[in-house]
Amino acid sequence: MKKKENMVEKPDRRRFLKQGLLLGGSAAIGGGAAIGSAMIINNGVQKKRDHDDEIVNKIRALTPGGDVIELDEVQAAGLKMGHAHTNRSMRKGVPGRKFVMVIDLSKCKNERKCQEGCRSMHFLPDDVNWLKVFKMQEGESTAPYWMPSPCYHCDNPPCVKVCPVDATFIREDGIVLIDNERCIGCRFCMAGCPYSARTFNWSEPVTKGEIHESEENCSASVPRKMGTVEKCDFCTSHLERGEFPKCVTSCPNGVFYMGDMNEDTVSNPSETIRFSELIESKAGYQFLAGLGTEPSVYYLPPANRLFPFEDDKKH
Ligand code: SF4
């Protein structure tokens, strides 16, 4: 796999201003933020003379090896802003689209083929799932049911608001993605997500199969990187080609529908339905809508079930 070179540019004044805002934001949230592979431990800018006797602004940072180093502000800004243009087109989204997913809980029997498909699509190990299937039961006297839970690609995503380096973002087509070239692993987004949709990559990813250079982009979530946050990406690279996400095609029971809110249609491999009518007729809802996150994933309640509930102890 051919590796791209980091583009570290000398920042101009506007970038310095942006850098200042980023540092200020991270201090407000957690008191420190990482730049590239180093963690800032002192956001206070110190003015020092460098070897050419110029006054330069210095930032103290902690390296992964535990050493305290000093970076001048230009270096720090370059590291942080070096990928400012990487994946720029991926950040725009598909023009005119507003992607939406519908999950029909009445058809889910916990086969977890969606999870298997997702893991194989994204080269995930067996113990990491971007799509979780929860057993839900509101109370002892109520009926349990299975609930597949991907990232909800919220229109008002708290994860995006707390990211100090703009690594996670929402596109015009409603998809929330992560640029892991920019992700510094601070995990504020994991704390910000009320749905526990995000996972942290603790170890060096094992990539099954070949990843082509053309696929190295955040809309395909490749390559995965240790020390960064990951999550369901709605298989954006598939959507951009007009194909279904892998969970939709992997489910043998037609639980998942994917579609476009602007066209008011959703489809699974066997049917296409008007989105608004489906939600209206089957009392579709958004999970924890009261939080104000405005998910792009809707659920149909587990009424008139296709299968009786079975509590499979294997999972
Ligand atoms: Fe962000 Fe969580 Fe919403 Fe996904 S489900 S967009 S990770 S807040």
Side-chain angles (χ1 to χ4, degrees), residues 245-260:
K246 194 72 176 178
C247 54
V248 177
T249 51
S250 304
C251 175
N253 305 314
V255 167
F256 299 88
Y257 294 82
M258 193 77 211
D260 180 0

Side-chain angles (χ1 to χ4, degrees), residues 47-242:
K47 296 203 181 293
K48 290 201 172 177
R49 290 186 184 278
D50 71 2
H51 50 271
D52 293 326
D53 226 22
E54 272 182 44
I55 299 280
V56 291
N57 295 329
K58 292 284 185 185
I59 290 171
R60 292 174 68 216
L62 187 66
T63 68
D67 299 321
V68 176
I69 58 169
E70 277 191 346
L71 298 169
D72 78 40
E73 210 176 34
V74 174
Q75 285 176 301
L79 279 168
K80 186 176 274 184
M81 303 303 295
H83 296 283
H85 300 297
T86 306
N87 291 316
R88 186 164 53 182
S89 61
M90 317 296 171
R91 286 180 170 252
K92 287 286 288 176
V94 182
R97 293 274 184 228
K98 173 67 180 76
F99 291 108
V100 63
M101 176 178 271
V102 177
I103 300 176
D104 188 345
L105 300 178
S106 72
K107 297 179 184 171
C108 182
K109 64 179 293 200
N110 193 33
E111 286 197 55
R112 308 217 176 186
K113 301 291 184 206
C114 54
Q115 283 191 335
E116 286 171 27
C118 177
R119 283 201 305 267
S120 77
M121 163 83 192
H122 297 291
F123 313 108
L124 305 181
D126 291 346
D127 59 344
V128 174
N129 284 302
W130 292 357
L131 171 62
K132 296 154 187 112
V133 183
F134 295 116
K135 178 186 169 184
M136 303 294 281
Q137 188 166 15
E138 317 305 333
E140 272 186 31
S141 55
T142 62
Y145 59 94
W146 298 110
M147 186 177 97
S149 176
C151 168
Y152 294 143
H153 296 271
C154 307
D155 285 348
N156 185 25
C159 55
V160 169
K161 290 181 184 162
V162 296
C163 178
V165 291
D166 199 22
T168 188
F169 56 91
I170 180 166
R171 315 194 318 174
E172 287 166 16
D173 56 15
I175 294 178
V176 175
L177 291 178
I178 302 168
D179 180 352
N180 69 6
E181 296 284 353
R182 293 181 70 102
C183 178
I184 56 175
C186 69
R187 289 175 277 157
F188 294 158
C189 59
M190 292 178 71
C193 171
Y195 305 110
S196 301
R198 294 176 172 239
T199 60
F200 188 71
N201 201 346
W202 290 99
S203 50
E204 200 60 62
V206 178
T207 301
K208 298 172 201 157
E210 189 184 350
I211 293 177
H212 299 287
E213 190 183 2
S214 61
E215 292 175 327
E216 290 183 31
N217 64 61
C218 61
S219 72
S221 298
V222 291
R224 298 176 58 233
K225 290 198 172 169
M226 184 168 77
T228 62
V229 175
E230 308 174 327
K231 69 170 190 69
C232 153
D233 62 5
F234 261 1
C235 292
T236 303
S237 57
H238 280 199
L239 292 177
E240 288 172 344
R241 294 196 298 265

